Amino acid sequence: MLRFDPFSDMDAWARGMLTGSTAGTARTPKFMPLDLYKIDDHYMLVADLPGADPGSIDVSVDNGVLTLSAQRSAPSDEGVEWLASERFSGTYRRQLTLGDLIDSAGISARYDNGVLTVTIPVAEKAKPRRIEVESINHQQAIETSTAT
């Protein structure tokens, strides 16, 4: 199970204040939009990262927290007179708390056409399973008890 951590934005803000790094300025998005859904025995996380530098994309798991980050370089300002500047640049970052029933070692990711897709498998212990029911031959048990 995946859970949203409402305090992660506050942590990122506080970390930025202490370290001087900023995320979520006027030219930098605060987060990346994503979809999350479950198919059979795995979750699919699909995040939009348009124009992100492919080498900057990082997906990591640490202490039950999945962190997605990427960098989008700003165009050079040299010799440019901006008339409009609405496209985000800078660092994208998103964190999700993973539940105990996730196989974090099996997480995989791919980046294609500005979309990051992360496959998050459900742990074997969390998958539904069928339990075999043993039956005792009732007739044999009755015969044994009547023979005495």
Side-chain angles (χ1 to χ4, degrees):
M1 178 166 96
L2 296 171
R3 294 184 297 268
F4 172 70
D5 181 6
F7 299 104
S8 64
D9 286 338
M10 291 292 288
D11 289 342
W13 176 80
R15 196 174 310 108
M17 294 297 286
L18 294 172
T19 63
S21 64
T22 58
T25 63
R27 296 267 306 146
T28 307
K30 293 182 181 176
F31 66 92
M32 64 188 78
L34 62 83
D35 293 332
L36 179 65
Y37 52 93
K38 186 176 180 191
I39 298 176
D40 299 324
D41 62 351
H42 62 278
Y43 292 93
M44 295 298 294
L45 185 149
V46 182
D48 289 341
L49 292 172
D53 305 328
S56 74
I57 297 172
D58 183 52
V59 178
S60 63
V61 178
D62 184 28
N63 202 22
V65 176
L66 176 69
T67 302
L68 312 173
S69 61
Q71 181 76 26
R72 181 173 175 184
S73 299
S76 172
D77 285 336
E78 190 174 320
V80 174
E81 181 182 343
W82 289 100
L83 302 176
S85 179
E86 297 177 352
R87 296 176 61 221
F88 292 121
S89 61
T91 302
Y92 293 84
R93 185 164 188 248
R94 193 78 185 259
Q95 290 185 312
L96 295 155
T97 302
L98 300 175
D100 297 334
L101 304 177
I102 297 297
D103 176 12
S104 61
I107 295 174
S108 62
R110 74 175 197 277
Y111 180 67
D112 186 37
N113 290 324
V115 178
L116 176 67
T117 303
V118 181
T119 303
I120 306 165
V122 173
E124 281 298 320
K125 67 181 180 181
K127 292 179 183 175
R129 63 185 179 96
R130 185 172 175 87
I131 299 171
E132 187 74 28
V133 177
E134 294 181 32
S135 67
I136 300 173
N137 189 337
H138 239 358
Q139 192 172 16
Q140 189 179 33
I142 292 172
E143 288 175 13
T144 306
S145 64
T146 56
T148 51

